[in-house]
Each structure stands twice: as structure tokens, then as C-alpha cells.
């Protein structure tokens, strides 16, 4: 008895050792580049490693003007003295009744960490890569933009929030801080929505030679065109870029005929534009939003752009179906049969079931209030009971048995 137990223990230890040996051998096989990891595959596709200096990010924005250390120290000492001498603030802080002015917090954020936060978000959305290639900038000028949807509703533009096309039908209100004699250029571009050239952008708005904070004083190079993301293309990014001009600029070569409704004339490249004008303007402000298709664009395409509305659909590849077997083991009977049937035949069968319970002269009969709790005949087979539950709930192929609000909940 003892000998048999010792023999079993030795065999079990040998089996465990053999599994560990195989597992360690497999891990070693992965480590020797037989199956490269995801990091190694991405490193192979990285074209910047050949010349890192050539592809190094370049800051093309305005320089940061730092106040003197003496002024900062003086401000901090004055603030500390003011807070120490206030017994009210001390009591409110201890009792958790201290309230801060959100406008003051916003003003401090805009002058300290705000521009760097906006730059990080823009990198996350891929804006710098799609507009300027390897260049970037820190938006020193904060843009405050909003759309007036109606008399009571305003749609503000932040950094990546969603605004529907019907909300952005009219040109927005743009505000920023500026000296009276400074000149600016404002461009609204869509890097995702050029229907004629995938490598170009769609110019939505272009105003140059803006004096101070008065947007109406600027020269309209290209009039405003509302967002029009086609159906099926998902979310499009609409980017506002504010440029600081060194002097008055002649934008005659970029000027479009007003109103510009030709999508070909609205093809635009921010990178080419900046390369040509980099000696006389500098990017300073940045804001963007996202937009996707809504029902108002059908009329916009037909009546404004005078074109058929484009609709995009993704063609999913056909799933692989193995050859049919006479005795499929461990396969649900009804699902295995439907897998090898013609989808048109299944759709026809479901349509006939729906038409069978409808009367053209009467309203559609209501569904069961608790379809999963209804009794089922015990004489049915397991797969028949399962199919009856799916049919009552409208799951899978039975989804088209119900329409609209008459669907089981």
C-alpha cells in the first residue's frame, strides 16, 4: 500500500515537472522573437526611429512670458498676509462652509495650467498630428466660443464636446482677450470631412486681419459653412485655430467667392497654409468640438449644396462557416441548422410569422407583459422551449417580429 502511494506521488511530481518544463520552454520560445509582442510590432512600424531629430516635435506657438521672480514673491506674500488676518476665512474653512468664486478659479486656470491642459487634450485627439505634422503649440490665448441655437439655448464649444449640425447652423460668437491694435486670423477647419480628397481638409470658415477683439472688423476670406458630417461616417472634429499676425496680410490668394458652396474650392491644408505664412503669423488659440449626422443634413445637402446626400455603410465580411456535418457534437440543434440556412429564407420565415398575427383593419395586438414568465409546455424538447423563449422576447432572428414601442421590455 505504501509503495503504491509513493509510486503515485512520484508520477504526479514527474507530470507537474513536465508541464512546468513545457510551459517554460513555450515562454522562452516567445521571448526569442518567434512571436513578437505588440510593442515590438509597433516599433517596426515606427518610421521616426531612423532619424529622431528630423521627426522631433517642434513648438511653433507663442513664447511663454514669465513674470519676474520678485513680482511672484511679492504677490504670494501679500496673499498670505491677507489670508492670515481673516478670522472669517479660517472659521469657514474649519466648518467646511468656505465657497470659492468659480469665475476667479477659471481666470487663474486660464493664466496658469490651462494652456498646457488644452495642449494635452489636443494631442489626445490627434489635432496637432493631422494639422501640423510634427509641430505643436501651447494655446496661450483662450477662445470662448458658443452657438446660439435659439433664444434660450446656447451651445458652447469647449475641447471635444459634441454639438449637432442643427445647433451649429449659424456662425458662432467668438471672444478672446486682445490689445486694440493686435491683428488676428481665425480659421475653422474639418480634418475629417473632405468628400473629394481624403488627404485634405474641409475649410468651414476663414476670417483674416481681425483687429483687436472685434470679429466683425476682419476680412471674410471664406464664409461660414455649417458642419455636414455624412451619415455613417461617425464623429468629425471641427477645429478653431486663432493666429496672431505680425502685420496686415494680403489673403487674396486664399479668398473664395461668397457664398462658397463648392466643396472643391473648400479643400484646404493647414500645414501648407502655415508653411507659406509662418513668417507673418503664429498659432495662439485653439478650440474644437465634434459633430455627427442628424436629420437636418438631408435638407442641407439637397437645398444648399445641391447634391445627393451621401450615405456610407460598413460592409462586414462574411463569417466563416465550416462544412456541415452529419452529427455535430456539442452544437445547439436549432442554431446549427440556422447557421447553414440561407439568411433570406430565415427572414422570409420571420416575416410570414409577423404577417400571420397582423390584421390590416385592426391595431397590432399588444405583447405579453412578462413574456419570460409565461408557462411553457413540458412535453416540448429543450431546444423547442429555448426557441419559444427567444421568440417571445424578440432575441436573435426574432428581432423583426416586433416593431417600435410594441417590443417586449
Amino acid at each position: 500500500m505504501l509503495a503504491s502511494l509513493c509510486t503515485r506521488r512520484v508520477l504526479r511530481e514527474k507530470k507537474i515537472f513536465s508541464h512546468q518544463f513545457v510551459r517554460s520552454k513555450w515562454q522562452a520560445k516567445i521571448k526569442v522573437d518567434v512571436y513578437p509582442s505588440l510593442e515590438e510590432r509597433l516599433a517596426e512600424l515606427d518610421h521616426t526611429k531612423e532619424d529622431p531629430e528630423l521627426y522631433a516635435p517642434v513648438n511653433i506657438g507663442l513664447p511663454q512670458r514669465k513674470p519676474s521672480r520678485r513680482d511672484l514673491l511679492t504677490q504670494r506674500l501679500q496673499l498670505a498676509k491677507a489670508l492670515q488676518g481673516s478670522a472669517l476665512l479660517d472659521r469657514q474653512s474649519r466648518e467646511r462652509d468656505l465657497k470659492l468664486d468659480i469665475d476667479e478659479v477659471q481666470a487663474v486656470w486660464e493664466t496658469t495650467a490651462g494652456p498646457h491642459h488644452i495642449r494635452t487634450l489636443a494631442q489626445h485627439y490627434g489635432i496637432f498630428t493631422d494639422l501640423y505634422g510634427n509641430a505643436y503649440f501651447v494655446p496661450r490665448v483662450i477662445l470662448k466660443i458658443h452657438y446660439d441655437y435659439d433664444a434660450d439655448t446656447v451651445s458652447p464649444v469647449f475641447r471635444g464636446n459634441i454639438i449637432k449640425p442643427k445647433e451649429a447652423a449659424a456662425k458662432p460668437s467668438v471672444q478672446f482677450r486682445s490689445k486694440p491694435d493686435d491683428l488676428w486670423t481665425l480659421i475653422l477647419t474639418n480634418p475629417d470631412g473632405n468628400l473629394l480628397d481624403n488627404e485634405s481638409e474641409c475649410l468651414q470658415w476663414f476670417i483674416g486681419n481681425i483687429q483687436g477683439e472685434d470679429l466683425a472688423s476682419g476680412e471674410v476670406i471664406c464664409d461660414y459653412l455649417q458642419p455636414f458630417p455624412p451619415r455613417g461616417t461617425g464623429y468629425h472634429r471641427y477645429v478653431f485655430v486663432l493666429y496672431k499676425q505680425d502685420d496686415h496680410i494680403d489673403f487674396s490668394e486664399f479668398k473664395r467667392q461668397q457664398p462658397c458652396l463648392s466643396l472643391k474650392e473648400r479643400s484646404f491644408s493647414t500645414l501648407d497654409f502655415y508653411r507659406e505664412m509662418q513668417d507673418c503669423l503664429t498659432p495662439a488659440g485653439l478650440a474644437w468640438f465634434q459633430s455627427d449626422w442628424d436629420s437636418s443634413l438631408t435638407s442641407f445637402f439637397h437645398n444648399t449644396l445641391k447634391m445627393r446626400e451621401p450615405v456610407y455603410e460598413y460592409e462586414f465580411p462574411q463569417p466563416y462557416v465550416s462544412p456541415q456535418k452529419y452529427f455535430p457534437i456539442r452544437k445547439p440543434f436549432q442554431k446549427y441548422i440556422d447557421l447553414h440556412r440561407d439568411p433570406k429564407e430565415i427572414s422570409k420565415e420571420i416575416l410570414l410569422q409577423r404577417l400571420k398575427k397582423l390584421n390590416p383593419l385592426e391595431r397590432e395586438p399588444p405583447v405579453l407583459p412578462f413574456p419570460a414568465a409565461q408557462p411553457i409546455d413540458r412535453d416540448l424538447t429543450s431546444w423547442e422551449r429555448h426557441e419559444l423563449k427567444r421568440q417571445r422576447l424578440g432575441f436573435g432572428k426574432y428581432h423583426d417580429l416586433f416593431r417600435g414601442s410594441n417590443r417586449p421590455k
Side-chain angles (χ1 to χ4, degrees), residues 210-407:
I210 303 172
Q211 186 170 2
E213 304 176 5
D214 187 11
L215 198 69
S217 65
E219 178 185 2
V220 179
I221 311 301
C222 184
D223 60 329
Y224 178 79
L225 187 67
Q226 75 163 77
F228 54 96
R231 183 189 303 188
T233 57
Y235 290 99
H236 290 213
R237 297 164 296 172
Y238 292 86
V239 186
F240 292 87
V241 182
L242 182 68
Y243 295 90
K244 174 71 179 300
Q245 298 180 198
D246 297 336
D247 202 352
H248 190 277
I249 301 176
D250 183 12
F251 290 111
S252 57
E253 60 175 310
F254 301 102
K255 194 161 187 177
R256 270 72 166 176
Q257 184 179 3
Q258 313 295 334
C260 181
L261 299 178
S262 173
L263 299 183
K264 183 177 181 180
E265 295 182 3
R266 286 186 176 267
S267 293
F268 185 74
S269 174
T270 300
L271 182 58
D272 295 341
F273 169 77
Y274 178 72
R275 283 175 175 173
E276 183 176 352
M277 310 296 294
Q278 60 181 336
D279 295 333
C280 50
L281 49 78
T282 306
L286 184 66
W288 67 95
F289 68 93
Q290 299 183 85
S291 184
D292 63 337
W293 181 89
D294 65 10
S295 58
S296 66
L297 291 182
T298 302
S299 174
F300 176 78
F301 275 106
H302 288 285
N303 301 328
T304 304
L305 296 182
K306 306 297 182 181
M307 60 179 292
R308 294 180 60 185
E309 181 183 10
V311 178
Y312 295 86
E313 296 180 357
Y314 180 77
E315 296 182 359
F316 292 91
Q318 294 295 331
Y320 171 75
V321 180
S322 61
Q324 193 170 2
K325 301 178 182 180
Y326 284 102
F327 300 101
I329 301 177
R330 296 181 179 178
K331 300 289 184 181
F333 171 73
Q334 69 281 9
K335 293 185 179 180
Y336 186 80
I337 294 299
D338 291 341
L339 189 64
H340 293 274
R341 292 175 62 189
D342 187 3
K344 295 182 179 179
E345 182 181 348
I346 298 177
S347 300
K348 180 180 179 181
E349 179 181 324
I350 300 301
L351 178 61
L352 292 177
Q353 290 185 19
R354 174 172 171 78
L355 295 177
K356 187 176 181 180
K357 65 177 184 179
L358 295 180
N359 187 344
L361 302 179
E362 298 178 359
R363 297 185 61 181
E364 186 173 354
V367 297
L368 299 175
F370 303 100
Q374 299 298 324
I376 299 178
D377 189 0
R378 293 183 176 271
D379 294 336
L380 298 177
T381 60
S382 60
W383 69 269
E384 287 177 327
R385 292 197 297 269
H386 182 70
E387 281 296 295
L388 186 57
K389 289 181 181 179
R390 295 178 65 210
Q391 180 178 353
R392 290 176 177 177
L393 295 173
F395 288 170
K397 66 178 183 181
Y398 299 105
H399 182 270
D400 293 335
L401 278 178
F402 308 96
R403 299 290 174 86
S405 59
N406 199 35
R407 184 172 297 281

Side-chain angles (χ1 to χ4, degrees), residues 6-22:
C6 293
T7 303
R8 292 179 183 177
R9 182 176 181 181
V10 171
L11 291 176
R12 190 182 301 110
E13 290 179 352
K14 287 184 177 180
K15 189 175 182 180
I16 294 174
F17 175 77
S18 63
H19 284 319
Q20 292 177 349
F21 175 74
V22 171

Side-chain angles (χ1 to χ4, degrees), residues 146-246:
H146 67 269
Y147 286 93
D148 294 329
Y149 180 57
D150 53 29
D152 301 326
T153 307
V154 173
S155 300
V157 177
F158 295 114
R159 286 152 289 274
N161 60 312
I162 298 175
I163 297 179
K164 287 294 186 178
K166 62 181 179 181
E167 301 176 30
K171 60 183 179 180
S173 173
V174 182
Q175 298 177 355
F176 55 90
R177 294 182 180 179
S178 170
K179 296 180 181 179
D181 297 333
D182 289 345
L183 294 176
W184 306 87
T185 295
L186 179 66
I187 293 179
L188 172 61
T189 181
N190 176 11
D192 307 317
N194 195 313
L195 301 179
L196 305 178
D197 185 6
N198 292 331
E199 302 298 327
S200 299
E201 309 160 21
C202 182
L203 182 62
Q204 305 288 144
W205 201 20
F206 190 159
I207 301 180
N209 299 316
I210 303 172
Q211 186 170 2
E213 304 176 5
D214 187 11
L215 198 69
S217 65
E219 178 185 2
V220 179
I221 311 301
C222 184
D223 60 329
Y224 178 79
L225 187 67
Q226 75 163 77
F228 54 96
R231 183 189 303 188
T233 57
Y235 290 99
H236 290 213
R237 297 164 296 172
Y238 292 86
V239 186
F240 292 87
V241 182
L242 182 68
Y243 295 90
K244 174 71 179 300
Q245 298 180 198
D246 297 336

